[in-house]
């Protein structure tokens, strides 16, 4: 009986810890200085956005590499939960569509941005980034595309569900916070999950074309989740499997084929 009670006590303690720390688990919020885009990639400018509580967010705006006649298409880029602009700028440099402008912002609490990392804060940052992008006179507000990887897929589906976008690109998207909890913490009840991060719910309201990449060997976000997100979409979807790719090597495994598919989608 003592053993049973002890195990029950441990289970309750772990449940409370997971309930209390779920935002810290989901948003590890690494800090990093924001590189100068001119020094890092040879062009671009730093941008600054201000949240409703005066928190400052920082990011990059990169003009098109290949200068089409204005107005140009544009891409909003939302990265994964353990990333920052300071960590992923080589990926942006190598995989961005060359004929489109690009804007990427560090989420609240991430990179060089102030504030605390939360789901609501990430969505507010996404809204501010979208509005900053469409305010630029040299860009075509009717050809704004949104890209989101892993955690960033929730920021991307939020943006596409609440703003006019020409297309949505998701990489390794999960179904929802509760879906991820069921996948990795299945011995704990789902009602403990306070976060939403509901890609399935959001994508049902999205009718623009959607392109989804997912690695066949992804153990963190299984490919079935990506398929479930695709199946729920309210518009046309293309699902691209990256053979042998896990969760963090999709760019390496996808290579030039990934890059070409992304560039062709962002018309």
């Amino acid at each position: 009986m003592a053993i049973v009670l002890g195990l029950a006590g441990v289970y309750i303690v772990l449940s409370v810890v997971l309930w209390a720390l779920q935002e810290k688990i989901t948003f590890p919020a690494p800090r990093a200085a924001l590189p100068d885009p001119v020094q890092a990639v040879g062009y671009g400018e730093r941008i600054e956005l201000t949240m409703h509580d005066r928190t400052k967010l920082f990011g990059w705006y990169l003009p098109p590499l290949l200068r089409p006649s204005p107005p140009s298409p544009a891409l909003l880029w939302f990265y994964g939960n353990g990333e920052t602009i300071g960590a992923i700028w080589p990926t942006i440099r190598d995989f961005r569509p060359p004929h489109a402008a690009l804007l990427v912002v560090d989420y609240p609490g991430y990179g060089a941005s102030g504030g605390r990392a939360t789901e609501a804060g990430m969505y507010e940052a996404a809204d501010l980034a979208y509005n900053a992008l469409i305010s630029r006179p040299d860009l075509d507000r009717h050809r704004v595309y949104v890209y989101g990887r892993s955690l960033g897929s929730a920021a991307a589906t939020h943006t596409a569900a609440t703003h006019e976008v020409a297309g949505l690109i998701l990489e390794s998207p999960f179904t929802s916070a509760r879906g991820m909890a069921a996948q990795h913490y299945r011995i704990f009840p789902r009602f403990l999950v306070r976060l939403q991060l509901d890609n399935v719910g959001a994508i049902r309201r999205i009718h623009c074309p959607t392109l989804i990449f997912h690695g066949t060997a992804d153990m963190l976000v299984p490919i079935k989740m990506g398929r479930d997100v695709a199946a729920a979409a309210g518009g046309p979807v293309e699902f691209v499997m990256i053979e042998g790719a896990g969760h963090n090597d999709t760019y390496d495994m996808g290579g030039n084929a990934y890059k070409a598919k992304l560039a062709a989608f962002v018309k």
Side-chain angles (χ1 to χ4, degrees), residues 29-33 79-80 82-89 92 106 110-112:
R31 308 298 301 190
Y79 53 61
E83 299 175 331
T84 65
I85 297 171
I88 67 162
W89 66 261
I92 293 173
D106 277 326
Y110 276 71

Side-chain angles (χ1 to χ4, degrees), residues 181-199:
Q183 177 71 28
H184 295 287
Y185 303 98
R186 59 187 63 186
I187 67 170
F188 298 100
R190 293 192 185 185
F191 68 77
L192 293 175
V193 181
R194 291 179 283 108
L195 299 174
Q196 299 295 315
L197 300 170
D198 187 3
N199 279 326

Side-chain angles (χ1 to χ4, degrees), residues 31-231:
R31 308 298 301 190
L34 181 69
D36 182 340
V38 175
Q39 293 182 356
V41 299
Y43 55 92
E45 63 185 81
R46 293 177 176 175
I47 64 162
E48 178 181 317
L49 305 175
T50 304
M51 299 177 70
H52 75 279
D53 65 356
R54 314 309 298 170
T55 294
K56 300 295 185 182
L57 306 177
F58 299 94
W60 279 6
Y61 172 76
L62 305 178
L65 274 171
L66 304 178
R67 300 277 186 167
S69 299
S72 306
L75 181 66
L76 265 180
W77 189 291
F78 298 114
Y79 53 61
N81 77 332
E83 299 175 331
T84 65
I85 297 171
I88 67 162
W89 66 261
T91 300
I92 293 173
R93 176 197 61 196
D94 295 342
F95 283 86
R96 60 165 301 193
H99 57 285
L102 184 144
L103 191 145
V104 57
V105 175
D106 277 326
Y107 308 136
Y110 276 71
S113 292
R116 186 171 68 89
T118 65
E119 182 176 2
M122 181 177 71
Y123 295 153
E124 184 180 351
D127 293 337
L128 288 171
Y130 177 88
N131 290 331
L133 196 58
I134 65 170
S135 69
R136 290 182 173 260
D138 55 334
L139 301 181
D140 185 348
R141 64 179 300 155
H142 301 296
R143 287 193 294 160
V144 171
Y145 294 79
V146 183
Y147 167 95
R149 169 181 132 71
S150 192
L151 176 67
S153 65
T157 57
H158 162 83
T159 304
T162 54
H163 302 280
E164 178 191 353
V165 303
L168 172 66
I169 306 107
L170 302 176
E171 184 188 321
S172 310
F174 52 88
T175 52
S176 66
R178 288 195 170 187
M180 286 294 286
Q183 177 71 28
H184 295 287
Y185 303 98
R186 59 187 63 186
I187 67 170
F188 298 100
R190 293 192 185 185
F191 68 77
L192 293 175
V193 181
R194 291 179 283 108
L195 299 174
Q196 299 295 315
L197 300 170
D198 187 3
N199 279 326
V200 167
I203 206 167
R204 289 192 177 114
R205 309 193 304 274
I206 296 170
H207 302 286
C208 67
T210 299
L211 173 64
I212 299 179
F213 296 100
H214 215 117
T216 59
D218 193 333
M219 301 299 290
L220 181 63
V221 181
I223 194 170
K224 181 182 184 304
M225 282 197 171
R227 293 190 183 281
D228 289 344
V229 172

Side-chain angles (χ1 to χ4, degrees), residues 1-24:
M1 181 60 70
I3 293 175
V4 171
L5 291 174
L7 290 174
V10 170
Y11 178 82
I12 292 171
V13 169
L14 288 176
S15 297
V16 171
V17 169
L18 286 174
W19 180 86
L21 297 182
Q22 60 190 269
E23 282 191 331
K24 289 188 178 295

Side-chain angles (χ1 to χ4, degrees), residues 252-266:
D252 294 335
M253 299 295 288
N256 288 332
Y258 180 120
K259 183 176 179 179
K261 177 68 72 172
L262 178 60
F265 185 79
V266 180

